[in-house]
Amino acid sequence: MRKKLKKRIFVISAPSGTGKTTIGKILRTKIPGLELTISCTTRKPRPGEKNGIDYHFISVSRFRKMAENKKFAEWAEVYGNYYGTPEEEIRVKLHRGCKVLLTVDTQGGMNIKKLFPSAVLIGILPPSLREQEKRIKNRGKLTEKEFKKRMDAARKERQILVNNYDFRLINKNIETTIRKIQNIITKGKKY
Ligand code: 5GP
């Protein structure tokens, strides 16, 4: 009989411009029983983003109230906006027998590991700093100051990833990265 895998919470973190949101969405279609958590955020929706699908877009006061009432498994301020994973999102999905995938920043990943020590932390790195610069620039209109802020944050995230994450994958090719993560989630494969 196949041994049941105990690992059921997976966290993907990646510096800005690495493509982790796309990766998360593709993984969901490939792995039966894998659910993505929907975070709350105080940032404004981008064109095409839908409330309750991409994020729960909420006000700062509502976010603060939820944080005060300990509704978040983890929350963080990222680029001047708040982001948080409602703990209930995780618990309800686990209770239904699903595996849960979170795509959060590295502060979030570290906090999830504290709360759920069996969580598997997967870090995705861009092939090079240069490539990362290019991807951050391509993301839309950023002022020079905003661009610098994102690059600084990306460097710090990279450091946390390298020092603390269970897996570090270099995203040279999206199909290969997805296949590797799929193997980690479904087969417990080590990279
Ligand atoms: P974006 O605004 O581009 O969707 O996300 C900005 C950053 O916030 C990304 O690094 C993303 O992974 C992170 N993020 C999204 N949701 C959460 C969350 O619930 N908690 C934390 N800590 N970070 C999040």
Side-chain angles (χ1 to χ4, degrees), residues 20 39 43 46 55 74 76 78 83-85 103-105 108 139:
K20 63 182 172 303
S39 299
R43 85 150 160 75
R46 297 194 183 115
Y55 282 105
E74 62 76 35
V78 188
Y83 294 82
T85 312
T103 51
V104 299
D105 78 333
R139 275 201 124 172

Side-chain angles (χ1 to χ4, degrees), residues 10-18 20-21 37 39-40 55 63 73-85 101-113 120-124 139 150 152-154 156-161 164-165:
F10 299 87
V11 176
I12 296 184
S13 300
S16 192
T18 314
K20 63 182 172 303
T21 314
T37 56
S39 299
C40 292
Y55 282 105
F63 193 100
E74 62 76 35
W75 67 269
E77 191 181 339
V78 188
Y79 312 128
N81 294 305
Y82 294 125
Y83 294 82
T85 312
L101 179 66
L102 293 86
T103 51
V104 299
D105 78 333
T106 46
Q107 312 170 64
M110 300 304 291
N111 287 330
I112 290 293
K113 187 84 178 181
V120 178
L121 304 185
I122 304 165
I124 306 176
R139 275 201 124 172
R150 290 208 171 214
D152 276 352
K156 279 189 201 129
E157 290 229 72
R158 193 183 186 98
Q159 215 47 51
I160 298 179
L161 264 173
N164 302 286
Y165 270 49

Side-chain angles (χ1 to χ4, degrees), residues 12 20-38 52-54 93 96 98-103 178 181-182 185-186:
I12 296 184
K20 63 182 172 303
T21 314
T22 317
I23 291 175
K25 287 185 180 159
I26 297 175
L27 282 166
R28 187 177 172 218
T29 65
K30 287 187 178 273
I31 306 176
L34 180 73
E35 295 265 351
L36 306 183
T37 56
I38 304 170
I53 294 183
D54 297 285
K93 288 177 166 113
R96 285 210 304 261
C98 300
K99 288 183 176 173
V100 180
L101 179 66
L102 293 86
T103 51
I178 287 170
I181 302 177
Q182 201 174 347
I185 297 178
T186 60

Side-chain angles (χ1 to χ4, degrees), residues 142-165:
L142 292 178
T143 62
E144 191 55 28
K145 203 170 148 201
E146 280 167 340
F147 171 72
K148 280 220 176 79
K149 206 163 142 191
R150 290 208 171 214
M151 279 306 291
D152 276 352
R155 273 187 214 103
K156 279 189 201 129
E157 290 229 72
R158 193 183 186 98
Q159 215 47 51
I160 298 179
L161 264 173
V162 170
N163 293 332
N164 302 286
Y165 270 49

